[in-house]
Amino acid sequence: MQWQGRCPACGNWNSFEEIALSKTVQASRAPSGNRSLTQGSTAILSLAEVKVEDTVRWPTGSVELDRALGGGLVPGAVVLIGGDPGIGKSTLTLQVVSAIAEQRRAVYVTGEESAAQVAARAQRLDLALAPIRVLAETNLEAIFDLISKDRPQVVVIDSIQTLYSDAYSSAPGSVVQVRECAADLIRYAKANGVSVLIVGHVTKEGTIAGPRVLEHLVDTVIYFEGEAGSSIRIIRALKNRFGASNEIGVFSMTENGLRAVANPSVLFLHNTQSLSAGNVVFPAIEGSRPLLVQIQALVDRTAGNPRRVCNGVDAQRLAMLLAVMNRHLGSQLSGFDVFVNVVGGISVDEPAADLAIIAAIWSSLTGRVLPSQQVLFGEIGLGGEIRPVVGAAIRIGEAEKLGFESVICGDLGKTLRTRAGLKLQTAARVDAAIELLRA
Ligand code: TYD
Ligand code: MG
C-alpha cells in the first residue's frame, strides 16, 4: 500500500488505518433470513407495478420518541440514536426495551455497562426487571450467533463504539469497526425484518470516528440535544426515511428517567415575566409543532479581537445578521464581543429566528428592555428586508395561547386578521421593525 498522509476526502492528516481482512470475513457476515424489504427484484419496473405497502409501526411506549420516529419503530429499519455521553441515550433505550418487551421479543445488547449495571439502572428507573432481556457482549459475531437463535424483533445496541468484528483487526470505536459493524447490523435488520436501534456517542472534537460516519447508512438518525446543567432533553430526527425529518420529542430527565413533556413551550421560557435587556422570545417551529424559546444576547465591549460566540444558533447566520445590523441599522459592533444563547440547550436553525436574534442583540447593545409579553419572528435578507416565514399562523397562535400580548413580524399578507387580545405589528424591513421596538 502506498503511504498516504492526508485523506483526500476530509483533508485530515494521519487518519488512515490499515485494515487486515481475516479469512473468516465471509463466514462472519450477518445471518440472513428469508424476508427482504427490498423485494429482491432485479427487474426494471414501472412504478405502477410496484406494490406499495403501508409501513408497519411498532410503538415504542414513548409518545415523544414515536413522534420523532414518525409513529414508531419500523421492522427492518435501523435507527441511530446519537448524542453526547451522559445525555440519556442508555436511559431512553432501556425504557424503550422495557415498554416494547410487553408485546414483542426485544434484546438490549450492552457493551458499555455490565448486565448488573443495567439491572441496577432498570431498578432505579422503576422498570419491571423480568421482561427486560439483556446481552452483555461486544463481539459482533457472538451477538449474531445468539440473536439468530433467539430471533428478537427489536435489538438495541448500546453502543456501536464498543462493538468489534473479528473480521477487522482495528480497535473497537475505530472508523472501520464502527462502520462495518453497523453495516452488518443493517444487513441483518433488513434480511430479518428486525428493528435495530444503534446508540452512538458523538465525539466533541472531530465527529469522524463517531456516529456521523453512519448517518447515510441508517434509515433514521435521531440526535439528543440538551445542556449539562439542564434537565431538558430534546430528541430530533435529522433524517428519517419513514417520517418527517426535524420532528422533535421533548423530555425532562428526572430521578426516574426520561419523562415526556406534554407542553414543551413553557419549558423553554424562563422567567419571561421580567426580561432583562438582551432577551427576546421567539416562536419557533420544530418539526410540526410550535415551541416558544428564549433567545438572549450579550453585547460587551471587547478587550482585543471581537468575539462572536453562539450557542444554539448558527455561527455563519450570526455573522450575516451582524453585517445586516451594521449596514442597515448602523449598529457599530466591531468594538464589541457578541454572545448569543438559546435558553435550555435547544438549537434554533430556522431563518425565521433572524429578527428575534437581531432584536436581542439590539436590546443588549442599547440596554433597552423589550416587553416581556412580546414575540418576534421573521427571516432577514441581506438587503435588510424581512421575508415571510412558514407557519406564521401557528407561531402567532402559540404565542396567543400562552398569553403573549404582541407580535412583531414580517408582512403577513391578507391571510391573518388581527386577533383579539393580541397586537400584531408588521414591518417590511429590519430598520422598521427596530423602530417598532423603540416606540
Ligand atoms: P445515560 O442514559 O447513561 O446517558 P448516555 O447513555 O447518553 O451516556 O444518562 C446518564 C445521566 O442521566 C447521568 O448523568 C445520570 C442521569 N440520570 C438521571 O438523572 N435519572 C435517571 O433516572 C437515570 C437513569 C440517569
Ligand atoms: Mg450510555
Side-chain angles (χ1 to χ4, degrees):
M1 187 186 140
Q2 189 196 340
W3 183 84
Q4 295 241 317
R6 185 173 195 178
C7 173
C10 68
N12 271 358
W13 289 92
N14 294 324
S15 57
F16 275 91
E17 279 179 52
E18 187 175 348
I19 309 164
L21 280 181
S22 75
K23 295 247 158 49
T24 53
V25 171
Q26 279 79 13
S28 73
R29 279 307 179 214
S32 59
N34 48 13
R35 200 176 165 287
S36 167
L37 272 192
T38 48
Q39 300 190 329
S41 143
T42 48
I44 297 174
L45 297 172
S46 149
L47 278 187
E49 301 168 69
V50 179
K51 206 167 131 226
V52 179
E53 284 165 16
D54 278 348
T55 308
V56 177
R57 302 277 182 182
W58 295 338
T60 61
S62 159
V63 184
E64 295 296 305
L65 178 60
D66 284 350
R67 186 202 316 273
L69 289 169
L73 296 172
V74 176
V78 178
V79 180
L80 171 67
I81 299 190
D84 292 329
I87 200 152
K89 302 179 294 297
S90 301
T91 307
L92 180 66
T93 47
L94 190 59
Q95 287 180 280
V96 164
V97 167
S98 166
I100 279 187
E102 290 172 16
Q103 267 139 56
R104 46 194 101 247
R105 270 176 109 70
V107 177
Y108 180 87
V109 180
T110 170
E112 306 241 326
E113 293 164 329
S114 66
Q117 283 170 313
V118 176
R121 180 194 293 261
Q123 243 165 10
R124 242 188 354 259
L125 294 173
D126 244 341
L127 303 173
L129 299 188
I132 302 177
R133 296 163 68 248
V134 56
L135 168 60
E137 179 60 69
T138 53
N139 179 259
L140 187 68
E141 285 74 24
I143 292 169
F144 277 141
D145 213 35
L146 281 160
I147 60 179
S148 58
K149 291 185 197 110
D150 187 73
R151 299 210 152 268
Q153 290 175 289
V154 177
V155 175
V156 172
I157 303 287
D158 187 4
S159 67
I160 189 70
Q161 274 102 346
T162 59
L163 287 201
Y164 73 95
S165 160
D166 292 333
Y168 305 95
S169 58
S170 46
S174 63
V175 177
V176 173
Q177 288 287 8
V178 166
R179 194 184 52 217
E180 297 304 323
C181 287
D184 272 1
L185 285 165
I186 291 163
R187 268 191 289 272
Y188 169 81
K190 302 251 180 276
N192 296 279
V194 173
S195 175
V196 177
L197 284 136
I198 297 179
V199 171
H201 295 295
V202 176
T203 49
K204 266 273 158 56
E205 0 25 278
T207 47
I208 293 162
R212 294 263 149 128
V213 298
L214 307 180
E215 281 180 358
H216 66 285
L217 296 176
V218 299
D219 298 291
T220 303
V221 176
I222 287 187
Y223 273 109
F224 262 94
E225 294 170 13
E227 278 171 346
S230 149
S231 65
I232 305 170
R233 297 285 180 271
I234 299 121
I235 52 169
R236 187 191 298 270
L238 288 193
K239 159 184 171 178
N240 197 351
R241 287 197 182 130
F242 299 102
S245 64
N246 224 26
E247 199 64 78
I248 66 163
V250 185
F251 297 92
S252 74
M253 181 63 96
T254 69
E255 279 160 23
N256 302 318
L258 291 160
R259 293 275 163 269
V261 174
N263 187 4
S265 259
V266 197
L267 209 62
F268 295 101
L269 297 180
H270 201 67
N271 267 334
T272 44
Q273 296 306 322
S274 55
L275 291 179
S276 53
N279 282 270
V280 300
V281 177
F282 165 60
I285 292 187
E286 296 293 345
S288 58
R289 56 174 162 175
L291 201 63
L292 268 59
V293 298
Q294 189 174 338
I295 296 178
Q296 33 184 223
L298 176 66
V299 177
D300 197 20
R301 207 161 273 290
T302 188
N305 284 334
R307 296 178 15 145
R308 278 79 180 90
V309 180
C310 44
N311 184 19
V313 301
D314 181 54
Q316 302 287 340
R317 197 83 197 167
L318 175 63
M320 189 203 97
L321 295 176
L322 292 176
V324 167
M325 290 183 76
N326 182 41
R327 174 64 69 92
H328 301 286
L329 297 176
S331 307
Q332 296 296 328
L333 288 158
S334 56
F336 292 92
D337 292 333
V338 178
F339 303 89
V340 176
N341 177 46
V342 183
V343 177
I346 188 167
S347 294
V348 173
D349 297 325
E350 297 181 275
D354 290 352
L355 183 58
I357 295 170
I358 284 187
I361 296 169
W362 179 84
S363 164
S364 178
L365 179 68
T366 57
R368 285 183 77 123
V369 178
L370 300 182
S372 59
Q373 296 306 307
Q374 171 178 278
V375 301
L376 300 101
F377 63 88
E379 177 179 352
I380 292 177
L382 290 177
E385 74 278 12
I386 304 181
R387 304 225 186 91
V389 300
V390 291
I394 299 172
R395 296 175 204 271
I396 294 170
E398 184 73 3
E400 189 178 24
K401 198 172 103 194
L402 291 176
F404 281 77
E405 288 157 10
S406 70
V407 177
I408 297 183
C409 58
D411 188 20
L412 292 169
K414 294 202 175 63
T415 45
L416 283 168
R417 299 179 314 273
T418 313
R419 293 163 192 252
L422 195 68
K423 188 168 143 204
L424 271 179
Q425 293 174 285
T426 63
R429 298 187 45 80
V430 63
D431 36 347
I434 296 297
E435 275 315 308
L436 293 172
L437 296 179
R438 259 190 241 274

